[in-house]
Amino acid sequence: MGCRSTLILKALQGLATMPAMSKQHQTCLVCGERLEEPHVYGDRLYCETHLSQFSDDLAALWQTGLLILLSLAVLVGTIAIANAVAPNPSGPTRLLANALVIGLPSIGWLILITQRLDGEDGAAPSLVSALFVLGSLMAAAVVRPLTNEILALGGRLAATSPANRFVANVLILGMLHAFVLYGIVRYSVWRTTSFSLRVHGVLYASAAGLGYAATQVGLFALERGGLSMLSGGLTLLTRALPFATASLIVGYFLGINRFENQPFYYLPSGVALAGAVCGVLLYAGTELNNIRLNITTDGFSPWPGFVVNVLALTIAFGAVYGLLQRQNTITKARLRLRG
Amino acid sequence: MSSTTRLQGQQGLTSEAPAVGRLISHVTKSDRFASISVIVVVIGFMSVGLLLRARDSSSTWLYSNRQAGIEARYPAEWLVDEQGDYVARMRDPVARPFKTQVLIDTVPAADNTSVRNILDSLTLQRSAELSAYRVLAVRDSTLAGVLVTEMDFAFVDTDPDPFVQRVPVVVEGLDIVIIDNTRVIVLTYMADTETFEDEFDTFLDIFASLSY
Amino acid sequence: MMLNHPLRTKTLTALLIVILMSLSLTAAQAQDRLDDLRLVNAQRATVFLMQTYDASGTQALSCSGSGTLISNDGLILTNAHLADPVGPCQGERIIVALPIRLDEPPVPKYLAQIVQVDHQLDLAVMRIVASLDGSLIEPNSLNLPFVSLGDPSGLLPGNALTTIGYPSLGAGGVEAVEQTITAITAESSSGDKSWLRVDTPLPGTKSGGGAYDLNGRLVGIPTGMPGTDGSERGPECISINDTNRDSLIDLRDSCVPIPAEVTAIRPVRPALPMIEAGRNQFELATFRGTPPAPPIDPPLIERMLFSTAVNEQGQVTRLVSKLPSGARNLYMAFSYQNMVTGIPYEIRVSRDGADLPQFSLGPLSWGGGRNGTWYVGFEDQQIPDGSYEFTIYLFGQPEASASIVVGGREEEPIFSDIRLGIADPSGNLINTGRVLPSEVPQIDAVYQVENMAEGQTWTEVWYFDTVEVSRNTFVWSGPPQAQSRSIAVNSGGLRAGRYRVELLIGDRLAAFGETTLAGPPTPDRQSAIFSNARIASDISRDGEPNGVVGQVMPLDVQSLYLFVDWDLMPTNTAWTYRWFLDGRLVASRTQRWNAGSVGENFWVSLSADDPLPEGSYAVEVLVENRPMFSQSVTIGAGTQPTSGIEGEGDEVFITGTVVDALTGDGIPGALVMVLNVEFESPQFTWNEEDILTQAITDREGRFALARGLARANFFTMYVFAEDYITIIEDNFTIFSDQESPADILVEMSQP
């Protein structure tokens, strides 16, 4: 833990004192080795090894991601069955059920991915875990106090119109969440030797995002003394998915920008896009659930928001996967052309 | 800060082992600019959002009663009631457990009517209608720069429906009495004791906007 | 193939018939009892009433019974003797306890006040006015369960009723008992359907509760009275308070009188004007004359008579001393003096020494006034042969008794159907009734004669204001069946006052008739007691019409005064005034005349704390039940909104729970409101004028909207709660077949 803390500190210090790259100090972007004849790609300098490696894929990432996405269906089925058996358990049972709903996809993914990372792909399982924890800590120690206590957004959002709620979700909450997810990766692992593949952006951002999401919704459930089985369980997932989606987008942009010099607005655009998507999905996750109120319908259903957010995550997952594959293919093609 | 600093990243690894998360210091000017841009953009978006929120939460509506010759601004989306034995009542529909409210009333006054007469009359009326009604203090004070007589009071608000199990709420209130020629304007603020102080600024804003 | 087999076909047919019969039997059984929803609603609307008084610094119970909420703003229908401190009930406060949990004892919640009372019917309408701590309550802020009123006129012996009330002194929950009507008792109090009699005696504390038809509508009030005056402890008077503060509850403490049992149910229909008056918060008042001095002498019951018929004026018209076998009508009438409202009276009937509960009546609260005649009887009932003894009890003590034998054949001479009136020159009565004009030279009493034997002596006696003025004895020389006539003559004109003729066959009173001569005669020989009627909106200090006078009043009037001059009105004559609103009787009161013989500006008034409702009003004055005149007036344009009673059927009352969608926990303090039907959220001005009804949730998130929502309509519903997203539903639909009340669940979520 001490080493990880040092890493973060150094990374943050490095931000302030980072020297400019110059021809006198030509080093590999990934490993930092001094280069006599550097390879240039996208205005970045690489050693030969890393030039050929950074566009490699990380199949484990997509496989575990897909597995988690598919496991959501199983989880929802289990929730539905549990709801039929005990729709509204009380006390510790509720919290335990909520913890399982939150923990199975997030910690499950973490265990799977750390098991699958073998070291040869450049990523460190320990860093993945560290980012998961960092995301979790940021959510608990910084973001929730900021949004709930200082900005008091919960009560104020409730008291305003849907349009204002949408704007606030996008401009305040979405941007904040996206920035925090971006910051966690950007100011820790982004400039280290362990960020050696484009897909590592998605890997590390996903780790941070899942830790962040699990803690956000975990505390949400804890503050309410545990949520009901079906509505509560689905809502926990619904509220967690926007963070996962935002982390995929942030990870993609960080991954691209890490290995190719991009215009200055590239990363801000990526973060803004992630923030907007996160905000829209947070809004949709709550507002779409407010259905018609009548004598026989109670004005709420946990399904619409959940379905929309699952679809959004799936689309984001597919898009990021597709775009990264495309980028990597192009890169490899260009490198082959160079000989 | 050295570009060759080695960091331990995983248990069991030594400084000689393959580095985990070793910091590579060089970044391009564009990277740095992008990094700052992200912060600026996020702060920019959030500022816009917070400004919009502030504008939304401070928005008010105008209450105007030509018959009583009274105007006041009150928080948007508060309910206005003119059907009771008062000129108007503005009520926060979302407040819990007691609906925070401001009442505006006028009482005829003769030349020799004193503020104390008005307050005594209010006390007699309320003690017949409200449970555990107590006057806490009567004093002259300055509110929003105006010298007024104010009366602090408290009572217990209960639900008239005996079948609902609503816990009685201790309500704190404040009357402000303003003598206006042949009439007296009474402005009353009532809120749950827990939120009385929190919403007091709202009452002051209404009071400051009152014209008669 | 198999079905074609004749045996199998027959078996299946038989099976089908059995199933159909079972189903129809089940359906029939289902219709014999109140359904659960209506039963629960009626039980929730049944309150427990306690009259209390200050006993050495502590609140002691004086009297208790049941009552029924008949409006959601706190109108209660109950017995007059439970509400008004008369008879043994001498309370100072009336406490209303509600059945918060149906299976638990009622919980005291409110104080009530009488708004209308009718001692003759022993019914009263009360209104909840304050919380237990004395803080006043705005009626419109109440939202209480209530029952609708039904029509008991079609009920017959054999019909089912469900009676609801409290079976003990507040120690148990509200109780419903299914019963069957066994008989209908006639009485002077309310005519031929004065009382519905039930098979199972009810505990006395159910007096004042409700009897319901199969539609769950209130059709009657179980009525019973303790037989004692509450001065002595006994089975009907229980000590439950330490009223003398000696730390012991014993014989030295005052006791609470409790009726032994209740078997009589007062039909609710005669109470409708009183309920309307209570609903509209009307107050009635009249010119104050000279009130009679309270009686000093003890009550006196005398002249118990039997009859087989009663006329529309409530007079027994066919007196008999015995009844033939197979007779189905029997009335017992008696005269009374010095009676006091509220004292317990009872009529016990025995046959050949054995008690007959179904023919007995009471104990009940006396409501017949101080002096007069009264009757109790049965119509169209089997009366087995035997010797019947009727005994009248006051305060649990026998006061008078009389016997009649049923059996054999009818042979005794009878004078029946006596009518007093003014005859034309050919002898035909052109004006009959209880009121005739004074100053006429002659009044005739015409009657039918049956079984009169030639040579039989008979006597006619005329009384003027209880003083005998003429007595003549004759020997019958006419046919056995005939019409005969007695005449009172004064060529100078008969004086105004009360006339009574009695006809005796031998020593037996065979018939009597009464009439009041009042007012100068009109050309068509009608009585013109009243003249110069006019209506004003106010009265001056010296009793003159004031304010607006005329046929049309502005919208904001709070009172209507009818002024009238009168001439030759005998003192102590019973007279009635009735107020009508748009043709509906909304208030009625009967009193004894005490304003003197002649005068001007006698007034009666109808007033309310708020402006009187817009509509067409009429006031009618009757003397001895004979209409004298009526006067009408219109307030505003004369269009009256739908009566509450009529409107209730088309509305659905909404109750429900507001919960957190994610935890399922109730949200306390949430505001649920429904806009008037013409508003949707875009048109809502956030003015409470636009709101039809609203409610705040309790600690469990429960709420009940005070007003019903009209069926076959869309409404806009808002649900507000701090920290939750406000629900705005513009299409809250109430279908035409929606059951009422409807219980809804509202789930709110946080952003």
Side-chain angles (χ1 to χ4, degrees), chain C residues 655-677:
Chain C
T655 60
T657 314
V658 180
V659 299
D660 183 307
L662 304 185
T663 62
D665 298 337
I667 302 174
L671 175 68
V672 183
M673 67 184 202
V674 178
L675 303 188
N676 285 320
V677 72

Side-chain angles (χ1 to χ4, degrees), chain C residues 63-396:
Chain C
C63 240
S64 67
S66 303
T68 306
L69 286 159
I70 52 170
S71 72
N72 64 348
D73 61 356
L75 275 188
I76 297 169
L77 183 62
T78 186
N79 285 137
H81 74 266
L82 289 171
D84 211 7
V86 295
C89 293
Q90 298 295 339
E92 295 158 356
R93 303 201 308 168
I94 302 168
I95 292 168
V96 180
L98 301 182
I100 303 298
R101 299 276 179 274
L102 293 182
D103 53 348
E104 292 177 10
V107 182
K109 288 281 182 182
Y110 298 118
L111 299 178
Q113 277 181 358
I114 297 171
V115 289
Q116 296 289 323
V117 65
D118 187 328
H119 287 290
Q120 183 154 320
L121 296 172
D122 196 12
L123 292 178
V125 177
M126 296 194 297
R127 181 177 286 284
I128 289 171
V129 291
S131 303
L132 263 192
D133 61 6
S135 54
L136 301 179
I137 285 177
E138 169 59 36
N140 293 330
S141 70
L142 290 168
N143 181 22
L144 300 170
F146 67 98
V147 295
S148 301
L149 301 177
D151 181 7
S153 59
L155 292 173
L156 295 169
N159 289 157
L161 285 180
T162 300
T163 55
I164 299 179
Y166 289 88
S168 62
L169 264 180
V174 61
E175 184 183 75
V177 178
E178 287 170 33
Q179 296 197 298
T180 305
I181 299 172
T182 53
I184 292 172
T185 302
E187 199 194 27
S188 293
S189 59
S190 184
D192 60 350
K193 283 199 170 177
S194 283
W195 301 103
L196 305 175
R197 313 303 300 275
V198 287
D199 50 352
T200 316
L202 298 167
T205 47
K206 284 195 172 179
S207 178
Y212 296 84
D213 63 13
L214 297 176
N215 296 317
R217 292 179 179 268
L218 182 70
V219 290
I221 309 295
T223 302
M225 172 90 176
T228 68
D229 62 356
S231 59
E232 289 182 22
R233 202 169 178 232
E236 289 195 313
C237 205
I238 306 162
S239 291
I240 58 167
N241 302 303
D242 179 18
T243 54
N244 58 3
R245 306 293 293 270
D246 63 353
S247 304
L248 291 171
I249 296 176
D250 54 22
L251 291 171
R252 285 167 292 188
D253 290 306
S254 299
C255 55
V256 182
I258 305 289
E261 58 183 37
V262 175
T263 58
I265 292 171
R266 170 73 77 189
V268 78
R269 181 153 282 269
L272 290 182
M274 194 168 72
I275 293 167
E276 278 283 1
R279 197 183 290 275
N280 290 297
Q281 303 193 45
F282 290 149
E283 290 172 17
L284 302 179
T286 58
F287 176 88
R288 280 184 180 274
T290 311
I296 300 168
D297 296 325
L300 178 64
I301 304 286
E302 56 185 357
R303 303 180 78 171
M304 291 177 69
L305 302 166
F306 294 96
S307 171
T308 57
V310 172
N311 67 9
E312 286 181 357
Q313 284 81 42
Q315 290 178 313
V316 285
T317 55
R318 194 168 184 276
L319 299 183
V320 294
S321 63
K322 59 183 180 181
L323 270 184
S325 293
R328 296 186 67 84
N329 291 356
L330 177 61
Y331 300 90
M332 186 275 289
F334 59 90
S335 304
Y336 56 91
Q337 292 177 39
N338 305 324
M339 290 287 274
V340 178
T341 298
I343 64 173
Y345 81 100
E346 182 182 3
I347 295 163
R348 290 188 201 169
V349 181
S350 63
R351 189 184 72 197
D352 300 329
D355 287 341
L356 294 176
Q358 70 269 34
F359 286 94
S360 302
L361 185 66
L364 296 168
S365 174
W366 179 256
R370 188 164 161 179
N371 304 322
T373 56
W374 196 259
Y375 75 86
V376 177
F378 320 97
E379 281 181 14
D380 199 24
Q381 280 190 53
Q382 188 179 7
I383 306 173
D385 289 356
S387 174
Y388 289 76
E389 182 170 29
F390 286 68
T391 307
I392 299 173
Y393 286 75
L394 299 178
F395 293 114

Side-chain angles (χ1 to χ4, degrees), chain A residues 2-3 27 81 83-84 91 106 116 129 135 151 163-164 167 180-181 194 205 226 230 261-262 296 301 308 316 322 333:
Chain A
C3 294
T27 55
I81 293 166
N83 180 64
S106 56
R116 289 288 305 274
S129 303
L151 298 177
N164 284 333
V167 171
V180 170
L181 292 173
S194 295
L230 184 65
N261 204 16
Q262 297 286 349
T296 49
S301 167
V308 166

Side-chain angles (χ1 to χ4, degrees), chain A residues 18 31 44 160 187 191 194, chain B residues 22 24-25 27 31 35 56:
Chain A
M18 203 183 297
C31 60
R44 306 277 194 195
T160 191
Y187 300 119
R191 291 190 304 117
S194 295
Chain B
R22 184 161 56 90
I24 305 301
S25 60
V27 289
D31 286 340
S35 185
D56 177 54

Side-chain angles (χ1 to χ4, degrees), chain C residues 394-472:
Chain C
L394 299 178
F395 293 114
Q397 301 299 320
E399 278 293 318
S401 68
S403 300
I404 186 168
V405 173
V406 178
R409 296 177 56 197
E410 184 175 68
E411 288 171 347
E412 67 175 339
I414 286 173
F415 292 161
S416 66
D417 196 20
I418 189 164
R419 289 178 300 144
L420 274 70
I422 296 169
D424 62 11
S426 58
N428 297 321
L429 293 183
I430 56 170
N431 182 11
T432 61
R434 299 286 295 261
V435 179
L436 299 172
S438 62
E439 298 173 348
V440 292
Q442 172 182 320
I443 53 174
D444 293 21
V446 178
Y447 48 92
Q448 303 298 319
V449 177
E450 301 171 44
N451 307 327
M452 198 67 172
E454 197 166 329
Q456 173 75 52
T457 59
W458 64 284
T459 305
E460 65 167 34
V461 187
W462 282 91
Y463 295 86
F464 175 69
D465 286 346
T466 71
V467 177
E468 184 179 316
V469 291
S470 115
R471 175 183 287 266
N472 297 300

Side-chain angles (χ1 to χ4, degrees), chain B residues 61 74 77-83 89 91 93-97 99 127-132 158-167 195 199, chain C residues 44 98-101 109-110 133-136 141-145 667-669 671 684 686-689 694 696-700 720-722 724:
Chain B
W61 288 344
Y74 64 98
E77 300 202 343
W78 276 31
L79 294 167
V80 173
D81 178 25
E82 295 175 299
Q83 297 166 95
R89 178 184 69 175
R91 204 160 56 116
V94 301
R96 290 191 293 150
K99 303 296 172 198
S127 56
E129 294 172 351
L130 304 174
S131 296
T158 54
D159 198 299
D161 187 336
F163 293 95
V164 297
Q165 302 170 11
R166 202 172 132 217
V167 178
T195 56
E199 295 288 341
Chain C
R44 282 166 57 83
L98 301 182
I100 303 298
R101 299 276 179 274
K109 288 281 182 182
Y110 298 118
D133 61 6
S135 54
L136 301 179
S141 70
L142 290 168
N143 181 22
L144 300 170
I667 302 174
L671 175 68
F684 181 38
W686 293 81
N687 192 313
E688 295 197 28
E689 277 179 357
Q694 54 183 310
I696 295 176
T697 56
D698 69 1
R699 64 176 177 170
E700 293 178 344
F720 299 97
E722 199 166 14
Y724 288 87

